Amino acid sequence: MPKRGKIYKESAKLIDKATLYEVGEALDLVTKTAKAKFDETVEVHIKLGVDGRHADQQVRGAVVLPHGTGKTHKVLVFAKGPKAQEAEAAGADYVGAEELAQKIQSENWFDFDVAVATPDMMGIVGRLGKLLGPKGLMPNPKSGTVTMDVEKALQDIKAGKVEYRLDKTNIVHTPIGKVSFGVEKLNDNFNTLLEAVVKAKPSVAKGQYLKSVTLASSMGPGIKVNPQKITI
């Protein structure tokens, strides 16, 4: 068990671990238990009733949060010709092709948060799978980061697009904003994310889909949400 600091312990006293809170109550507690000196990120952790080891039970996608994430993303775009020009005009931080792939391979360079690629670049980008994949940076059509519409992809990312995907324990971990957003904006973002995750439910999934939902700030304790009371 990790040792918890005094501030964390004081925050934890505000929460009843045996209670499943309604979303508004949980978000209110998240903002009250965030005691760090920086603007903490609020994350949602969703345990799903699926088995991600099976391809037909994978849950993955992306959604633009109405109030963004509070973070400015650096975006790299793999593109050539007119699409590279389109990416530059749309505000991409880095644009290129083979030279960027080489920089990543030879220099272990990852000074970006999101990678976008046009389909014709995937032959080059595919060779970076072992480097980009573990960091969650591999472009993917399901998340809208392999596309010919580079301008829209960049607009969505800059506006607050987040990707959700299962981890090995069938849990989705996704940020929904900053503590400073306040309960109302966080609630809007939460509902938008949950709606997308519910819509992504695999047709073969049986039984309870939302097994558990937990909210927490970067440094604060987890607060359990009653999945039966979530209305979308």
Side-chain angles (χ1 to χ4, degrees), residues 12-219:
K13 289 178 182 178
L14 299 174
I15 300 162
D16 182 354
K17 291 184 178 180
T19 297
L20 294 177
Y21 294 93
E22 293 195 22
V23 177
E25 293 176 309
L27 287 170
D28 185 51
L29 283 169
V30 166
T31 60
K32 288 177 178 176
T33 55
K35 304 292 187 181
K37 294 180 180 179
F38 60 92
D39 193 5
E40 296 180 52
T41 295
V42 178
E43 288 195 350
V44 184
H45 309 277
I46 311 165
K47 175 79 171 179
L48 296 177
V50 297
D51 187 347
R53 293 175 297 178
H54 302 288
D56 60 356
Q57 294 190 49
Q58 274 294 324
V59 177
R60 181 174 185 173
V63 64
V64 178
L65 301 179
H67 303 291
T69 63
K71 179 180 178 181
T72 301
H73 292 288
K74 284 187 180 180
V75 185
L76 177 153
V77 177
F78 290 100
K80 287 183 176 180
K83 287 297 171 183
Q85 295 172 359
E86 180 183 325
E88 290 173 352
D93 297 277
Y94 306 102
V95 182
E98 290 89 350
E99 72 278 12
L100 284 180
Q102 181 61 35
K103 184 178 179 68
I104 291 168
Q105 285 180 312
S106 62
E107 300 178 22
N108 204 34
W109 175 75
F110 299 102
D111 186 29
F112 53 95
D113 304 299
V114 184
V116 175
T118 52
D120 58 304
M121 289 287 98
M122 288 309 292
I124 294 168
V125 179
R127 300 172 205 155
L128 304 173
K130 290 184 179 179
L131 296 171
L132 297 179
K135 294 181 179 293
L137 294 171
M138 189 68 182
N140 186 287
K142 288 185 178 180
S143 62
T145 48
V146 176
T147 177
M148 287 299 288
D149 196 345
V150 174
E151 182 178 3
K152 184 178 187 305
L154 280 159
Q155 286 175 346
D156 286 348
I157 293 165
K158 297 288 187 179
K161 184 178 184 178
V162 293
E163 185 177 351
Y164 57 87
R165 60 186 299 183
L166 287 179
D167 68 6
K168 292 180 180 179
T169 60
N170 301 314
I171 299 175
V172 170
H173 310 271
T174 310
I176 57 165
K178 298 288 187 179
V179 168
S180 62
F181 282 18
V183 172
E184 187 175 341
K185 289 183 178 179
L186 288 170
N187 192 54
D188 288 344
N189 282 356
F190 175 90
N191 287 336
T192 299
L193 172 66
L194 264 289
E195 183 177 2
V197 171
V198 169
K199 282 184 178 179
K201 179 182 178 180
S203 58
V204 297
K206 305 299 180 185
Q208 186 177 350
Y209 181 55
L210 297 177
K211 289 283 191 180
S212 68
V213 179
T214 303
L215 285 160
S217 62
S218 304
M219 307 297 289

